[in-house]
Amino acid sequence: QVQLVESGGGLVQPGGSLRLSCAASGSSFSIYAMGWYRQAPGKQRELVADITSGGSTNYADSVKGRFTISRDNAKNTVYLQMNSLKPEDTAVYYCNAKHLEYDYWGQGAQVTVSS
């Protein structure tokens, strides 16, 4: 069992930056592929970025060049650095951990981009 707790959300002006963190409890964090997803009101949840256990990364086209996902296996934590934020980035951001048939989600962190 893995528990995921997101932090770092909030209100930011367009063009600003935020860093989301996701702390994982339990063992074997390093074997999990980790991802950040987001869900805006009235829309489906979508993948923002993910990172494999080996460190390979993948990004949605809408965030390429602006967001960076990283992981620190010593701290059992995955990060999402978000720069040049736009109003359309407003959503609840969820952390996800996957390995084989195991699939865990955090409770979500609200990110609001508004002037």
Side-chain angles (χ1 to χ4, degrees):
Q1 184 77 10
V2 173
Q3 291 185 326
L4 304 173
V5 179
E6 299 101 334
S7 61
L11 173 65
V12 63
Q13 292 188 340
S17 298
L18 280 176
R19 188 176 81 155
L20 300 180
S21 300
C22 172
S25 65
S27 59
S28 304
F29 171 80
S30 63
I31 69 172
Y32 286 87
M34 301 299 298
W36 287 98
Y37 290 72
R38 68 186 180 187
Q39 188 166 19
K43 294 190 176 181
Q44 288 191 330
R45 190 172 296 190
E46 64 176 0
L47 175 68
V48 176
D50 57 24
I51 183 167
T52 67
S53 58
S56 297
T57 58
N58 174 57
Y59 297 91
D61 287 344
S62 59
V63 307
K64 280 180 182 175
R66 300 189 297 124
F67 291 11
T68 302
I69 189 171
S70 62
R71 65 190 298 161
D72 185 337
N73 290 336
K75 295 183 178 180
N76 283 10
T77 302
V78 63
Y79 304 97
L80 186 68
Q81 178 66 43
M82 304 184 291
N83 299 328
S84 303
L85 282 160
K86 304 175 181 180
E88 51 264 42
D89 295 316
T90 296
V92 178
Y93 284 70
Y94 296 92
C95 179
N96 174 261
K98 285 190 180 71
H99 179 65
L100 300 178
E101 69 273 26
Y102 301 102
D103 192 1
Y104 302 104
W105 293 90
Q107 83 287 352
Q110 177 69 48
V111 171
T112 302
V113 185
S114 175
S115 55

